[in-house]
Amino acid sequence: MNDPVGLDLYHRTAMRAAAEVIAGYSTSFGLACRLLGPRVRAHVRAVYALVRVADEIVDGPAAAAGLEPAATRHVLDDLEAHTLLAIKEGFSANLVVHAFALTARECGIGPDLVRPFFASMRSDLEVVEHDERSLRQYVYGSAEAVGLMCLQVFLNAGRPGTDRADPLVSEGARRLGSAFQEINFLRDAGHDRDRLGRDYLGDAPGTRAAVLDRIDRDLHAARACIPLLPKDCRRAVATAHGLFAALAHRLREDDGTGRARVSNWRKAVIAAKVSLAPSPRGVRA
């Protein structure tokens, strides 16, 4: 086989760049991602690489580099515009955006999911305290929409056409994304408040317990949908589900003053249990 050249080489280089971004930021994500089948693995990394870059723009590195808030907003808006243009045209000079655009074009990820994500990122530059309505909008864009992007990858990568998921499976993807995000809200509450000046959940009496109850319901509902995913995605999603369920359990045990963690040993046990368990039966291989 000849080595890739020209546009094929650029495509591959962009996908490798996305993988490097993910490797640099998340060991837990990397563990789950390795369990994805090769059909979808690079595409999921491309989704999360763009998500990570946008998140970093609003979470401190841009400010640390000396950008004023208005300039940071401009950088984020520019990233969104370049992403939408790359999806339309199939090319970007930004390797992470190019990788995402390749995935979006193949898997049917459109502006209806991209724009809500960037709207949530923008709110991190503008909103200090959320009310119930703004919080639900934020969680949808920052987490549920990303879950739906991944679902589009699971359904369509390497296959002709761009199907939409069954509403039940879409609901499971949204609820899993919501649970992941709210777990992060709880475990990062001190950092968000003290370093970033944000309060996602507030501190009313009973809030923490109510959020943990909601997380448990969302995780339960999402788990029921895992067998409905394509076979080459189920183990990875089940592992991610298990890791965050373990975090939710730790959050119930902790007093909220520290950052709850799952040890590397516990992560390995969770991944091993999922890998050794019989693959859940689904409706689509």
Side-chain angles (χ1 to χ4, degrees), residues 21 24 40 57 63 65 75 83 97 102-103 145 148 160 164 166 168 182 211 219 221 228 244 246 253 269 271 277 279:
V21 170
V40 298
I57 290 171
V75 170
T83 299
V97 172
L102 289 177
T103 292
L148 293 173
R164 285 287 179 176
D166 178 273
L168 177 63
E182 293 205 305
V211 173
L219 287 173
L228 304 179
F244 276 85
E253 293 179 332
V269 169
S279 180

Side-chain angles (χ1 to χ4, degrees), residues 41-60:
R41 188 181 304 128
H43 289 299
V44 170
R45 286 172 174 158
V47 169
Y48 274 92
L50 181 70
V51 168
R52 173 52 63 184
V53 170
D55 202 42
E56 288 301 300
I57 290 171
V58 301
D59 275 359

Side-chain angles (χ1 to χ4, degrees), residues 235 273-281:
R235 291 192 191 280
K273 284 183 177 179
V274 171
S275 294
L276 293 173
S279 180
R281 293 180 178 271

Side-chain angles (χ1 to χ4, degrees), residues 127 129-140 182 185 199-202 214:
V127 180
E129 294 184 8
H130 285 274
D131 58 26
E132 183 176 352
R133 179 175 177 273
S134 70
L135 181 64
R136 294 317 307 165
Q137 289 177 332
Y138 181 86
V139 171
Y140 175 77
E182 293 205 305
F185 286 158
D199 185 353
Y200 291 103
L201 299 174
R214 184 164 63 238

Side-chain angles (χ1 to χ4, degrees), residues 47 50-51 54 76-77 79-85 87 97 100-101 104-105 108-122 140-142 145-146 148-149 164:
V47 169
L50 181 70
V51 168
L76 185 66
D77 290 348
L79 181 63
E80 179 182 16
H82 277 113
T83 299
L84 293 171
L85 184 63
I87 294 172
V97 172
F100 180 86
R105 287 163 67 89
I109 299 170
D112 61 316
L113 295 178
V114 173
R115 287 196 175 103
F117 167 72
F118 277 98
S120 288
M121 294 300 96
R122 237 180 325 271
Y140 175 77
S142 66
V146 177
L148 293 173
M149 291 180 197
R164 285 287 179 176

Side-chain angles (χ1 to χ4, degrees), residues 197-258:
R198 300 179 198 146
D199 185 353
Y200 291 103
L201 299 174
D203 58 358
T207 295
R208 183 181 177 85
V211 173
L212 284 166
D213 288 344
R214 184 164 63 238
I215 288 168
D216 286 347
R217 292 192 297 270
D218 285 341
L219 287 173
H220 179 77
R223 183 172 184 172
C225 295
I226 293 175
L228 304 179
L229 297 173
K231 185 176 180 180
D232 58 355
C233 306
R234 294 174 205 156
R235 291 192 191 280
V237 176
T239 297
H241 181 285
L243 292 172
F244 276 85
L247 275 172
H249 181 74
R250 288 294 306 274
L251 286 164
R252 282 198 182 274
E253 293 179 332
D254 294 346
D255 59 7
T257 58

